[in-house]
Amino acid sequence: MKLNGNFQNLEQSYLFVTIAKKVNEYTAAHPENNLIRMGIGDVTLPLAPVVIQAMHKATDEMAKKETFRGYSPDSSGYPFLREAIAGYYQSLGVSVEPGEVFVGDGAKSDVGNIVDIFDNANTILVPDPVYPVYVDTNVMAGRKIAYADANMENGFLPMPEAGQSADIVYICSPNNPTGAVYNRDQLQAWVDYALEREAVILFDAAYESFVSPGLPRSIFEIPGAERCAIEFCSLSKTAGFTGMRCGYTVIKKELAFEGVSVAKLWERRQGSKFNGVNYVTQRAAEAVFSPEGIRQTQEAVAYYKGNAQVMVQAMRDMGLWFTGGENSPYVWFQCPEGKSGWEYFDYLLNEKEIVGTPGEGFGKNGGGCMRLSAFGDTEKTKEAMERIKRG
Ligand SMILES: *Cc1c(COP(=O)(O)O)cnc(C)c1O
């Protein structure tokens, strides 16, 4: 018996462990601290009332023999939810059929599991800095990874480069950790690149609900994307579903390689390894896409975006270089006085009682940067920015 040796090649994830250790040390030494946590990538507001109502109703159905549901007929989701998601795409001006929507238990699982359907000889292109899931899931499969440098020169939005060959391209827009968002022309350049090379784009749209009008929310707003892209989305950040678990993957029927439908392969993969999202959660997700659900969930998004605006204003006041905040719950900035992310982390923790996330944790190009999250409380966000500005 041999274990999968590729696991030995995974980078140890010291980031959140180290942060937790430093924070614990600080709170132990300062029991009466007034710490403001801006490192979190998790939502903090409760679920919308329409979502709670839908869950109560679905739970009652599960309590009666006549309306009880066991296995869902299709691991890719109940028709009512697939139709609701397709309807949401229609509202963005994107034509998606219910059969092109695959419901899953979150974007992390889908983005991680999609690698099953691709050959291990493929070359992978991921941005640096990056959401670690893209890298780790390919390392586990033993694949070669190339990095697209995101930095201040390109506004943390790398573009295709001549001579750069990749079969599988990961794009996350709006980005975690940088908050940077691609415009239409930039995404068109990536779509053109992928079509020319017969590559596939794996587009992570987890933060699409933070995008302001005028910028693309879906890769399928870009002509040609239906023939080269897979989109991953989630209700985690859109509707506070991080603990509920529901997301969706969209694969257009036009997407095929070597004459094989990618949607069919994904359906087969899911049918073999996944038995669907629970009924109550699917009803909750359906409620998110109702007119009232969209209104209520957008209220929470607007609250977080308000916090991000407070941070953006503070960055401007201090004259710091930053991205994000406008179409994203993250602000990503260059640490003052040439400090490294970890040096600035220590300074914020010990001098200002603020917890951020040092950019080094997301890749080498994150060096000297810091990520702050807008998922907290507005009063605390204002207080934190005042503390930082006081210098
Ligand atoms: C939060 C997040 C997701 C969503 O993950 P879920 O598994 O749906 O909770 C996906 N991608 C990125 C980059 C994220 O930050």
Side-chain angles (χ1 to χ4, degrees), residues 292-335:
E292 186 56 18
I294 287 177
R295 201 189 60 71
Q296 289 180 7
T297 51
Q298 274 296 311
E299 255 173 43
V301 169
Y303 178 86
Y304 298 133
K305 285 185 79 166
N307 293 349
Q309 273 308 307
V310 171
M311 289 152 57
V312 161
Q313 193 52 51
M315 295 298 134
R316 294 205 172 110
D317 292 347
M318 290 185 289
L320 294 178
W321 192 98
F322 73 98
T323 60
E326 302 287 355
N327 299 285
S328 156
Y330 301 118
V331 172
W332 172 265
F333 62 97
Q334 195 185 28
C335 303

Side-chain angles (χ1 to χ4, degrees), residues 45-342:
L45 293 174
L47 295 170
V50 280
V51 170
I52 299 296
Q53 280 159 19
M55 286 170 74
H56 279 303
K57 184 160 171 273
T59 304
D60 287 340
E61 287 177 46
M62 295 298 262
K64 290 193 210 82
K65 191 162 194 297
E66 300 72 46
T67 48
F68 167 78
R69 315 269 181 141
Y71 286 123
S72 82
D74 188 336
S75 71
S76 300
Y78 279 98
F80 62 77
L81 181 53
R82 302 176 86 179
E83 279 159 26
I85 295 167
Y88 176 68
Y89 275 96
Q90 301 290 346
S91 76
L92 300 179
V94 173
S95 152
V96 167
E97 289 169 23
E100 296 171 328
V101 176
F102 301 88
V103 174
D105 65 358
K108 188 182 200 171
S109 322
D110 284 3
V111 127
N113 291 331
I114 196 82
V115 301
D116 278 8
I117 69 170
F118 302 117
D119 190 276
N120 278 3
N122 287 304
T123 299
I124 317 297
L125 186 68
V126 296
D128 172 357
V130 69
Y131 180 61
V133 173
Y134 314 149
V135 174
D136 290 352
T137 52
N138 281 295
V139 170
M140 287 173 190
R143 297 207 177 113
K144 272 226 312 279
I145 299 176
Y147 290 91
D149 285 323
N151 48 39
M152 279 168 64
E153 286 76 65
N154 57 27
F156 284 90
L157 294 168
M159 295 301 298
E161 281 172 21
Q164 187 179 58
S165 76
D167 305 306
I168 300 176
V169 178
Y170 285 83
I171 297 178
C172 177
S173 177
N175 191 269
N176 180 12
T178 69
V181 56
Y182 281 107
N183 67 28
R184 220 165 279 280
D185 290 344
Q186 291 167 321
L187 285 184
Q188 186 72 62
W190 277 113
V191 165
D192 293 345
Y193 170 90
L195 288 173
E196 193 189 310
R197 301 189 159 262
E198 296 184 31
V200 68
I201 293 174
L202 304 181
F203 190 79
D204 186 339
Y207 295 95
E208 61 87 17
S209 62
F210 288 80
V211 174
S212 304
L215 289 162
R217 289 182 165 223
S218 164
I219 189 76
F220 298 118
E221 293 181 43
I222 310 302
E226 68 284 355
R227 285 177 287 123
C228 67
I230 299 176
E231 180 154 293
F232 302 90
C233 201
S234 163
L235 298 187
S236 283
K237 316 302 169 15
T238 304
F241 271 48
T242 51
M244 293 277 287
R245 313 307 308 144
C246 193
Y248 49 94
T249 291
V250 178
I251 308 177
K252 301 284 296 173
K253 59 180 175 315
E254 291 89 341
L255 188 68
F257 293 90
E258 302 157 40
V260 178
S261 154
V262 174
K264 285 267 177 325
L265 280 193
W266 178 240
E267 201 163 25
R268 188 74 176 81
R269 188 267 170 218
Q270 290 295 78
S272 299
K273 296 196 186 183
F274 180 61
N275 252 334
V277 174
N278 74 75
Y279 175 69
V280 176
T281 300
Q282 291 199 50
R283 282 294 184 194
E286 178 192 25
V288 169
F289 296 102
S290 67
E292 186 56 18
I294 287 177
R295 201 189 60 71
Q296 289 180 7
T297 51
Q298 274 296 311
E299 255 173 43
V301 169
Y303 178 86
Y304 298 133
K305 285 185 79 166
N307 293 349
Q309 273 308 307
V310 171
M311 289 152 57
V312 161
Q313 193 52 51
M315 295 298 134
R316 294 205 172 110
D317 292 347
M318 290 185 289
L320 294 178
W321 192 98
F322 73 98
T323 60
E326 302 287 355
N327 299 285
S328 156
Y330 301 118
V331 172
W332 172 265
F333 62 97
Q334 195 185 28
C335 303
E337 297 154 19
K339 283 196 168 75
S340 76
W342 279 113

